[in-house]
């Protein structure tokens, strides 16, 4: 949801590393794709409070501006919660992932059993609605323009 360039068209100024078109290229070669860090190292967990076993400092794998910037940018996607498309940012993120046709599987960075149970509940709710997915280009554009 936050680091989405590999699967979705975003403006050139979108923050983060440029994996543009990677999933489509993999699919054209009949290769599977494993999504990693669906919650952007916790930035899409909707809280800055960290679990004792989680990464506390440093830069997440796909971030170019660091975890604090990822937390700030992740707030953009609260729109999906406020509009009723998702229960919270975790729900929105995981359901976004299962909405991506190119994604074969995803690895979740979980710190406790509660995280696993929440993930299972979100996935059981199914992919995000088409209307919710249709909101994303506008949200990504806002991030590319430097907004939140």
């Amino acid at each position: 949801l936050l680091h989405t360039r590999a699967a979705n068209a975003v403006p050139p100024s979108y923050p983060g590393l440029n994996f543009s078109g990677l999933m489509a290229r993999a699919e054209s070669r009949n290769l599977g794709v494993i999504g990693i860090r669906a919650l952007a190292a916790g930035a899409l967990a909707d809280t800055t409070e960290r679990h004792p076993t989680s990464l506390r400092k440093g830069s997440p794998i796909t971030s170019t501006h660091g975890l604090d910037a990822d937390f700030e940018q992740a707030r953009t996607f609260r729109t999906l919660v406020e509009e009723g498309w998702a229960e919270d940012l975790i729900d929105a993120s995981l359901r976004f992932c299962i909405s991506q046709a190119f994604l074969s599987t995803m690895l979740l960075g979980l710190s406790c059993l509660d995280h696993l149970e929440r993930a299972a509940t979100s996935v059981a709710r199914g992919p995000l609605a088409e209307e919710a997915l249709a909101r994303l280009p506008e949200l990504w554009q806002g991030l590319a323009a430097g907004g939140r």
Side-chain angles (χ1 to χ4, degrees):
L1 188 58
L2 182 59
H3 302 292
T4 188
R5 281 187 172 189
N8 298 281
V10 295
S13 59
Y14 191 82
L17 298 175
N18 187 354
F19 297 114
S20 183
L22 183 62
M23 287 188 182
R25 288 193 302 275
E27 183 183 51
S28 74
R29 290 168 177 77
N30 213 22
L31 298 172
V33 174
I34 300 172
I36 62 169
R37 300 179 83 134
L39 300 178
L44 288 162
D46 214 11
T47 179
T48 57
E49 186 176 318
R50 309 297 285 164
H51 189 276
T53 62
S54 70
L55 172 72
R56 294 191 183 274
K57 293 186 181 191
S59 185
I61 278 176
T62 57
S63 177
T64 57
H65 302 316
L67 191 55
D68 290 338
D70 281 359
F71 272 101
E72 180 64 28
Q73 292 165 357
R75 291 185 187 138
T76 298
F77 303 104
R78 290 244 358 112
T79 299
L80 298 174
V81 177
E82 292 161 3
E83 293 178 357
W85 299 114
E87 296 293 318
D88 55 27
L89 285 179
I90 293 171
D91 186 58
S93 300
L94 298 179
R95 293 176 61 216
F96 168 77
C97 288
I98 65 172
S99 300
Q100 303 301 295
F102 299 128
L103 196 57
S104 305
T105 191
M106 76 179 151
L107 299 175
L108 300 176
L110 306 173
S111 299
C112 64
L113 183 58
D114 178 57
H115 294 170
L116 178 61
E117 290 168 351
R118 288 185 69 190
T121 298
S122 290
V123 170
R125 292 186 67 215
L128 283 175
E130 289 298 321
E131 297 90 342
L133 295 172
R135 295 282 287 121
L136 294 175
E138 179 184 343
L139 300 176
W140 292 327
Q141 180 64 45
L143 285 176
R148 33 161 245 105

